[in-house]
Amino acid sequence: MTVHFIGAGPGAPDLITVRGRDLVSRCPVCLYAGSLVPRDIVDFAPKGARIVDTARLTLDEIAAEFEAAHAAGKDVARLHSGDLSVWSALGEQLRRLDGLGIPYTITPGVPAFAAASAALGRELTLPEVAQSLILTRMSGRASSMPPGETLEAFGRTGATLAVHLSVHALERVVAEAAPHYGLDCPVAVVYRASWPDERVLLGTLADIAAKVAEAPIERTALILIGRVLGASEFRDSALYDASYRRRYRGGEGG
C-alpha cells in the first residue's frame, strides 16, 4: 500500500500530468482538496473508489484516512492543486506518514505561475530584463513570513515577482513593491488560471488596486509584478543566435 501525493495542476483537468492521471485511475481511495481541485479530476478515479473531499478535514482526520487505507491494503491518491513543492501542506502529511511507517510517492504538477504565464502569453524571464522569478506571499492569518522574506528585500533584486495567496492584501503588496519597481511597473492579477472562469486584470502598480476593487477578487489569484510583463525591446536570447557557438551547432564538442 502506498500514498501517492499528486500535483493536480492549476485547474484545467487536462493539465494534470499523465503520471498523475494514471495514478488516480488505479487508486481505490482518493483524497482531494475540493476547494481548489476540480471534481472533474477526481472523475479519473476507478468506479467504486472511496472519494473524500479534505477541504473541511483536520490533519488528524486526513491521517486517519491514510491509516484506514493502509490497514485495508488500499493505495491512496492524494490530490493537491498546482505543484506540491510550495504551499501544499505536504510537509506535515509526510511527517505523519513517516511516523506511521506508511510509504508514499510524490508526483509533481503544473504550478499556478506557469498557468498564469500562459494566460498572459508572456515569458517571465527575458534577456537583460529579468532572469529570476521569485515565488513568495504576504504574511497572513494561517502563516507568517520568516524575517527577511519581505517584498522589500525581494524587490531590491528587480526580479519578476509571483505573489501567491495575497490578493486580499493587494494594497500592501503595492506599497512594498512600488519603491523598488516604480509605480509604472506592469502588474497582472490572474484569477483561477486555466479554469473556465479565468480572469486577467492588467495594470501598473499605480492603478492595479483600483482595477481589482472595481471587479473584486477575494482568493485563488496570483499577482505578477515585473518589467517583463510589458517589455518588447529586449535582446534575443543567445540560444538560437547563429553566431553563438554551442555543441549542437558546430561548437566545441559538436
Side-chain angles (χ1 to χ4, degrees), residues 13-242:
D14 58 352
L15 284 180
I16 190 172
T17 65
V18 173
R19 180 188 297 180
R21 180 200 64 196
D22 289 350
L23 284 169
V24 174
S25 71
R26 65 174 186 256
C27 285
V29 178
C30 180
L31 308 184
Y32 76 109
S35 58
L36 296 170
V37 175
R39 177 72 195 207
D40 287 350
I41 291 180
V42 181
D43 288 344
F44 292 129
K47 185 176 180 180
R50 174 170 170 76
I51 307 296
V52 180
D53 182 351
T54 62
R56 297 183 181 276
L57 299 188
T58 65
L59 179 59
D60 285 342
E61 290 169 329
I62 293 168
E65 290 286 344
F66 293 151
E67 288 186 88
H70 183 253
K74 294 181 178 181
D75 285 353
V76 177
R78 176 60 168 127
L79 288 158
H80 286 276
S81 62
D83 179 63
L84 295 155
S85 60
V86 291
W87 304 301
S88 65
L90 177 67
E92 58 260 39
Q93 294 177 80
L94 298 187
R95 183 165 57 192
R96 288 295 184 96
L97 291 175
D98 286 337
L100 294 166
I102 297 175
Y104 53 82
T105 69
I106 300 172
T107 297
V110 176
F113 75 83
S117 174
L120 294 170
R122 285 282 180 178
E123 184 180 354
L124 301 181
T125 58
L126 292 173
E128 299 175 0
V129 179
Q131 287 292 287
S132 300
L133 172 66
I134 294 174
L135 311 182
T136 189
R137 57 178 293 252
M138 301 293 281
S139 284
R141 187 162 52 94
S143 179
S144 60
M145 296 293 287
E149 291 190 20
T150 65
L151 286 190
E152 180 182 5
F154 296 141
R156 286 196 290 268
T157 69
T160 305
L161 298 179
V163 188
H164 295 68
L165 308 169
S166 302
V167 72
H168 65 282
L170 182 56
E171 291 188 357
R172 274 200 296 142
V173 172
V174 168
E176 294 188 24
H180 303 285
Y181 290 87
L183 287 173
D184 63 335
C185 182
V187 180
V189 176
V190 184
Y191 170 75
R192 284 166 66 92
S194 85
W195 291 71
D197 57 347
E198 172 187 283
R199 286 166 54 200
V200 176
L201 292 177
L202 301 175
T204 64
L205 285 172
D207 62 17
I208 193 64
K211 289 186 175 183
V212 170
E214 291 173 1
I217 296 172
E218 295 182 357
R219 58 191 297 273
T220 324
L222 177 66
I223 306 163
L224 290 168
I225 303 170
R227 293 292 170 182
V228 294
L229 300 179
S232 58
E233 299 298 321
F234 55 89
R235 182 180 64 76
D236 288 345
S237 166
L239 184 62
Y240 300 112
D241 192 314

